[in-house]
Amino acid sequence: TDAVRRIGRTALVLWPWSAPVPLRRAWCLFEIHATAASGADLVVALPPGERTEMVRALEFEFHRIADALAAVDVATASAHAESD
């Protein structure tokens, strides 16, 4: 958390937006938590095609956004090493 606070921001690349890899990785979820806990900025980036699809879902199929967020589960998140 101290490192994130000193840096002041965390970049989160949502790809694919509907099931973002970082939201299935334990260390990434920890860094998102550390960002929120430290008051640092969370900067979200999407590749151009993903951005277009996400904006469309925001406008016309919001349930897809809710489903993507509801699927985040730290208990089942993967890690490179079990100790992570």
Side-chain angles (χ1 to χ4, degrees), residues 9-54:
R9 72 184 52 86
T10 300
L12 175 64
V13 178
L14 295 181
W15 180 84
W17 80 262
S18 58
V21 172
L23 299 184
R24 297 188 313 251
R25 302 280 302 153
W27 192 251
C28 294
L29 292 173
F30 171 77
E31 288 178 338
I32 292 168
H33 168 75
T35 301
S38 70
D41 293 332
L42 181 65
V43 179
V44 178
L46 294 101
E50 294 296 312
R51 183 181 186 283
T52 300
E53 287 298 314
M54 186 175 183

Side-chain angles (χ1 to χ4, degrees), residues 5 10 26 36 60 70 72:
R5 183 175 36 254
T10 300
F60 305 109
V72 176

